[in-house]
Each structure stands twice: as structure tokens, then as C-alpha cells.
């Protein structure tokens, strides 16, 4: 009778291979799966543990020799079958708690697991290689695209410097703007692929912090005031005049946040605030807050914002343009600078993006700014005249709802841009300008609202003649 039949262990049918051997190394029990895997039958009971694990156990006079560390910790061993072929196992071998002369070995065949993990490793390497090739390709293509775009831009600017008739000049300005937009997209893709490929490095150097902010403001102020929006910037006096950081990348983050704020706001204001929030030796933490009173973002959409290629919805991207890469790049840049970026927002009430970064202080320089807070305002205001409280209130309400004479001036500017788009048959862009015009004239007198509606419908129908009539009527009315 076979010894396995004598055994009444419930482990006979266990899925794990179980071998029991004595201090001489002789096997006294092997469960069904162990016999099957090792390809033994009853003859397993003539065998020693050194036959199963010859690399780990050696027979000797007093039994066996091994440097195996007995215990519950699993170790990878090589198990040999009867026909001397082998396979990897994860084994735990320990003394029986009832009899110190008895050893129990529990082992799992990990051939499949190893095979799978090798396959996963291979797939991972192939994916990484493909990713690298893709990133290199994207980097090369975008780099190559820059040259022709800059060529067009250079020539357009040269033409613009000469005297041209108004219509041609408008077209040239439009081409110039298209090239600038294209450059922005190319740069975004280039940065994104470099960041993804881990090839991006910051270039910190000493620079004048407030000049950097003023430069950033200059980039946006025309578009912001054209839309009739207010712009306020406050900088804590605790921030020194000069700091060490990657100036271009800080400007890039701020440009992205402020241009989004401008893009998604048609009434109200944009504010930028910068604070010093911490200091450790010669490094300080700066905290930037960019707020707007624009369309806001639904709570459910906020998590998606910082993912690459993510825009809140397709209709938004159609209306406002963009690649959905900007905020992802901002997040990666902020994290490279040791900080984090967050958003708070309320649908239809506005959004606040805030981010922190760590920057260096300049050695041996007075690290406290001599300047007072920057408090800059570019808000379009009415010129105060002697008017009664009621009139004043009414006027304030009108301004809130409709806008000031300057706003109307901006409306006219938007209108002429719209006409330019219509002339170039760029109906999508025209629709975008029309949306801005509609928002700017919300709450306007009924005759204006009606004209706006008529103009909007003509644009949707792409009816050139009707648009021109509508435009002229609205222009006269304004
Ligand atoms: P894009 O270049 O397309 O603007 P971003 O990554 O900068 O890409 O922004 C992604 C999306 O986040 C935008 O398409 C918009 O839906 C939303 N978003 C960003 N900033 C604002 C904001 N200030 N107000 C409302 N929505 C915003």
C-alpha cells in the first residue's frame, strides 16, 4: 500500500505542492499535486528532498546539508521532475511544530507566473520604446513645423511694416495672429512630449520678479480690456525684487492661466495675487492665485482638467479653441518646481486656479522688497460727474449689465474682427466673436438685443449679405 493512502491529511487535495521529509531528507509524504507536478507515483517515497531540490539540498552522512533558511518566508527554488527536467517554484520549508525531526515543504509552481511576468516586462519595454519613438517623432515634427511658421510670420511682419490698404492690412494681421496661435500649439506639443519623455529640465537663473509679472501682464492686457474686463494684480512686499527660478516657465504657467481666464470670462474681472507662504534657508515658497468671474467649471469636470488632452466638453473646444494640453503642462511644470496646482470653481460664477512653487533667494542681496505691493488696475471705469445717488445707482446697474462707453468701443472692435472673419469665410471664428458680442450686450436695450440676435442668426446661416446688413445696423446703433 502506498504511503499517500496511509495519510489522512486534508492536504492531499490542496492546490499547493506539499512534501514532508525527515532529518535524513527522505520523503515520507507528497500530496497529489506534488506527485503530479514532479511526475512521480508511489516511487516518490524512495526519493530524498535532494532529488527534488538538488541545487539546494545535498545528501551527506548525517542526512542533508543546505544553506536554505527554514521558515515561513517564501524563497524561489528550482524543482526537478523525475525525468530531470526542472521548473521554478516559490517554496516555504519549515520544521514541523510537533516534531523537530520532520520538515514540511510547501511549494507553488511559478513557471506560468514567471513566464507571464517576463511577457509583461517585454510588453512594457516595447511600450516604452514605442513611447520614446513617438515622443522623438513629435519633438522632431514640431521642431520642423516651427521653421515654416516663423518664416510666414517674419514675412507678414515685414509686409505689415510697409504701408498697405486697410483690407490687406487686416488680412495680414489675421495671418499674423494665426501664426502666433500655431506657434503656441507647436510649443505646447513640444513641451508636452519633452515632459512625457522625461527630457525636460528647468533653467533657473536670477531675474527681477516684478518685471516678469509686468511683462506677463503686458501680454494679456489688450485682450482683457478689449473684452471690457477688469484686471487687478497684487504682489506681497515680502517677495524680494530678485529671485532664482526658471522665469520663462513661470511666465508660461501664468500666461496659460490668465489667457484661460480671459478666454472663459465675458463679464467682470480677472485678478492675480502672489504671496510668500514659506521659507526654508535660502528658498521661499511662492503662492499664485489667478481668479476670474467667467463661465466656471462643473465639480465633476474639475478632476479631468489637469489630464492631458482634456477639455471640459467638445463644444467648449469648438467655441474657444485650444488643445487641452495647457493645464497638464502647467501641472507638470509646477510639480517640477516642487509645488502643486489646484482649482476651485463654481459654475457660472468663476474659477480660481492657485499654485505654489519653490524658488531660490539671491545670496548676499537684501531679500526684502523695497517696493510696496504692486496694485495694478486696468479696469474700465466711468468718468464721475455730479449725478444724484439714484442716477449713480442706475448708471452702476447699466454698467454692470451693459457696459461703459469704453465697453461699447470694445464691442465695436469685436464687431470689426467678426466682419474680418466673415470676409475670410471663417464662420467658426465668427461665431466665437458673435458669442462674445452677445455676452457683452446682455441686458442691453431691446433694439440692440434684437439686432444682436438677427446678426447671430445670419452668421449661423453663413449668409454674407445679411451679416453685413446686421453689422451695419448694430454698428450705427452703438
Ligand atoms: P486649452 O489649451 O484647450 O485651453 P487647458 O488645459 O488650458 O487647454 O484647459 C482645459 C480646459 O479647462 C479648457 O478647455 C476649459 O474647458 C477648462 N478651463 C480652463 N481654465 C478655465 C477657466 N478659467 N474657466 C473655465 N474653464 C476653464
Amino acid at each position: 500500500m502506498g504511503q499517500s493512502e496511509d495519510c489522512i491529511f486534508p492536504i492531499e487535495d490542496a492546490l499547493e505542492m506539499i512534501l514532508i521529509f525527515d532529518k535524513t531528507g527522505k520523503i515520507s509524504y507528497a500530496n497529489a499535486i506534488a506527485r503530479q507536478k514532479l511526475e512521480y507515483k508511489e516511487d516518490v517515497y524512495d526519493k530524498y528532498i535532494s532529488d527534488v531540490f538538488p541545487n539546494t539540498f545535498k545528501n551527506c552522512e548525517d542526512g542533508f546539508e543546505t544553506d536554505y533558511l527554514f521558515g515561513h518566508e517564501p524563497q524561489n527554488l528550482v524543482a526537478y521532475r523525475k525525468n530531470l527536467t526542472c521548473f521554478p517554484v516559490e517554496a516555504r520549508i519549515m520544521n514541523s511544530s510537533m516534531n523537530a525531526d520532520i520538515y514540511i515543504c510547501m511549494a507553488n509552481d511559478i513557471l506560468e507566473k514567471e513566464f507571464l511576468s517576463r511577457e509583461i516586462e517585454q510588453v512594457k519595454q516595447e511600450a516604452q520604446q514605442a513611447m520614446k519613438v513617438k515622443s522623438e517623432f513629435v519633438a522632431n515634427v514640431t521642431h520642423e513645423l516651427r521653421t515654416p511658421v516663423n518664416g510666414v510670420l517674419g514675412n507678414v511682419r515685414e509686409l505689415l511694416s510697409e504701408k498697405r490698404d486697410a483690407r490687406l492690412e487686416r488680412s495680414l494681421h489675421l495671418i499674423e495672429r494665426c501664426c502666433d496661435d500655431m506657434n503656441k500649439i507647436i510649443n505646447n506639443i513640444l513641451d508636452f512630449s519633452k515632459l512625457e519623455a522625461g527630457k525636460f529640465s528647468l533653467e533657473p537663473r536670477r531675474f527681477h520678479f516684478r518685471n516678469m509679472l509686468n511683462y506677463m501682464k503686458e501680454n494679456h492686457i489688450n485682450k482683457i480690456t478689449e473684452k471690457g474686463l477688469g484686471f487687478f494684480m497684487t504682489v506681497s512686499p515680502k517677495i524680494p525684487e530678485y529671485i532664482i527660478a526658471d522665469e520663462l516657465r513661470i511666465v508660461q504657467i501664468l500666461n496659460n492661466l490668465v489667457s484661460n481666464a480671459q478666454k472663459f470670462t465675458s463679464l467682470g474681472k480677472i485678478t492675480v495675487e502672489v504671496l510668500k507662504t514659506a521659507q526654508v534657508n535660502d528658498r521661499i515658497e511662492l503662492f499664485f492665485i489667478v481668479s476670474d468671474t467667467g463661465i466656471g467649471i462643473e465639480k465633476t469636470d474639475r478632476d479631468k482638467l489637469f489630464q492631458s488632452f482634456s477639455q471640459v466638453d467638445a463644444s467648449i473646444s469648438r467655441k474657444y479653441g485650444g488643445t487641452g494640453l495647457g493645464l497638464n503642462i502647467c501641472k507638470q511644470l509646477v510639480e517640477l518646481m516642487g509645488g502643486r496646482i489646484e482649482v476651485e470653481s463654481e459654475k457660472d460664477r468663476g474659477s480660481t486656479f492657485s499654485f505654489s512653487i519653490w524658488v531660490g533667494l539671491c545670496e548676499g542681496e537684501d531679500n526684502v522688497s523695497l517696493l510696496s505691493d504692486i496694485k495694478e488696475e486696468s479696469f474700465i471705469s466711468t468718468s464721475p460727474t455730479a449725478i444724484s445717488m439714484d442716477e449713480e445707482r442706475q448708471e452702476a446697474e447699466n454698467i454692470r449689465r451693459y457696459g461703459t462707453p469704453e465697453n461699447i468701443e470694445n464691442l465695436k472692435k469685436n464687431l470689426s474682427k467678426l466682419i474680418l472673419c466673415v470676409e475670410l469665410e471663417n464662420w467658426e471664428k465668427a461665431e466665437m466673436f458673435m458669442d462674445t458680442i452677445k455676452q457683452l450686450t446682455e441686458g442691453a436695450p431691446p433694439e440692440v438685443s434684437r439686432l444682436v440676435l438677427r446678426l447671430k442668426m445670419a452668421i449661423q446661416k453663413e449668409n454674407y449679405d445679411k451679416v453685413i446688413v446686421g453689422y451695419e445696423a448694430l454698428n450705427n446703433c452703438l
Side-chain angles (χ1 to χ4, degrees), residues 256 260 263-264 292 297 305 310-312 322-324 326-327 351 353:
N256 194 75
N260 276 348
K263 193 154 76 168
F264 297 108
D292 64 60
I297 306 154
L305 282 187
S310 166
Q311 286 168 324
V312 165
T323 53
L327 287 177
S351 312
F353 285 83

Side-chain angles (χ1 to χ4, degrees), residues 149-178:
V149 172
N150 285 335
V152 175
L153 196 59
N155 280 299
V156 167
R157 287 193 176 140
E158 204 174 303
L159 286 173
L160 274 170
S161 65
E162 295 165 19
K163 266 224 161 316
R164 300 271 147 201
D165 73 82
R167 202 183 152 133
L168 184 60
E169 193 169 322
R170 274 192 309 207
S171 301
L172 287 172
H173 274 301
L174 194 73
I175 299 173
E176 186 189 25
R177 218 174 124 177
C178 291

Side-chain angles (χ1 to χ4, degrees), residues 358-399:
W358 281 89
V359 301
L361 294 173
C362 303
E363 218 179 291
E365 280 179 28
D366 185 359
N367 279 325
V368 176
S369 166
L370 300 173
L371 302 174
S372 58
D373 284 14
I374 288 188
K375 269 205 170 60
E376 308 215 9
E377 297 191 6
S378 311
F379 197 61
I380 298 163
S381 61
T382 46
S383 41
T385 44
I387 39 178
S388 75
M389 275 304 278
D390 266 3
E391 276 171 332
E392 211 172 302
R393 223 173 278 137
Q394 185 56 46
E395 183 160 291
E397 180 61 12
N398 280 346
I399 289 163

